[in-house]
Amino acid sequence: MILGDNMLETIYEDTKQGMQKSLDALKKDYTTLRTGKVMPSILDNVTVDYYGTATPLSQVASITTPDATTINVSPWEKHLVADIEKAIAAANIGVNPNNNGEAVQLFFPPMTQDQRKESVKGAKSMTDNAKVAIRNIRKNSNDKVKKFLKDKEITEDESKKAQAEIQKITDTYVAKADDMFKTKESEIMKI
């Protein structure tokens, strides 16, 4: 049944795309976690009043990490230093900004073992949420296959084969999420 095959291929592709989006969201969630090395992405949600417009920090300054515990924010216009300092303080990211007149520096204390364990717990929770999303996509895909069977657009055998294929896709993406977690965990625990 050619029509059935095309419909099923579409379901497989949609399933893969949805599951990949779950992994992409997980990767983005991971950037909010603190690891052993500070990441400039910790400032992604900070905005500065730039001529009356709330502007992302990265669009008014260069953000560098000279070492594992320091972030340096150098504004492209000197008069913004005080505004940047205020915006970072208001963002409450866990450290106080230091203004030296030229730039704003953030000095993060090295993470304690307990902080690292808490960060790993956060990563585990994020990973579990992604796996739930992946399983929900599997359920939706299986429901579509069952509807095709009910509407007699595919046979019982095609339905079983399609659900097995969807399970194989699901297993692949769950394994990818687990691998991402293992990588993140080792990154967080590395001193």
Side-chain angles (χ1 to χ4, degrees):
M1 186 184 275
I2 301 298
L3 183 64
D5 287 347
N6 285 342
M7 292 184 303
L8 296 176
E9 283 302 321
T10 302
I11 290 174
Y12 301 152
E13 277 310 304
D14 291 349
T15 302
K16 288 176 188 171
Q17 285 175 1
M19 290 180 180
Q20 186 56 51
K21 283 180 185 163
S22 294
L23 293 183
D24 294 344
L26 177 60
K27 191 183 262 182
K28 190 170 177 11
D29 286 348
Y30 280 168
T31 64
T32 64
L33 290 172
R34 177 143 181 236
T35 60
K37 180 182 182 333
V38 293
M39 304 297 267
S41 59
I42 199 166
L43 298 172
D44 282 355
N45 297 328
V46 177
T47 57
V48 178
D49 182 18
Y50 184 64
Y51 297 107
T53 305
T55 308
L57 187 57
S58 61
Q59 293 181 13
V60 296
S62 69
I63 302 169
T64 57
T65 50
D67 60 53
T69 60
T70 309
I71 293 178
N72 199 14
V73 182
S74 303
W76 295 319
E77 297 176 29
K78 290 275 186 275
H79 66 88
L80 289 173
V81 173
D83 292 341
I84 289 172
E85 182 183 19
K86 274 189 224 138
I88 292 171
N92 195 16
I93 56 172
V95 293
N96 292 320
N98 297 303
N99 175 351
N100 66 9
E102 299 277 317
V104 176
Q105 276 127 2
L106 305 170
F107 300 103
F108 291 82
M111 286 178 79
T112 64
Q113 200 59 25
D114 287 344
Q115 287 172 319
R116 289 175 192 278
K117 286 177 183 166
E118 278 305 306
S119 220
V120 167
K121 277 185 195 168
K124 180 75 176 130
S125 173
M126 291 171 180
T127 305
D128 290 344
N129 290 341
K131 287 165 41 175
V132 167
I134 288 168
R135 290 185 191 111
N136 285 337
I137 293 164
R138 173 190 62 194
K139 183 188 178 314
N140 291 341
S141 297
N142 281 337
D143 288 348
K144 288 177 190 171
V145 169
K146 289 173 186 168
K147 185 176 179 343
F148 285 153
L149 177 64
K150 188 174 159 237
D151 295 345
K152 299 198 183 324
E153 294 182 40
I154 60 173
T155 66
E156 186 77 41
D157 284 349
E158 287 173 316
S159 171
K160 284 181 180 158
K161 208 162 92 180
Q163 289 181 56
E165 179 64 24
I166 290 166
Q167 184 59 50
K168 210 171 5 170
I169 294 168
T170 303
D171 293 343
T172 301
Y173 280 90
V174 166
K176 286 181 183 181
D178 286 334
D179 289 345
M180 287 171 64
F181 171 71
K182 284 182 192 129
T183 303
K184 193 65 178 179
E185 181 181 30
S186 66
E187 185 183 312
I188 292 169
M189 295 309 283
K190 188 170 92 186
I191 299 177

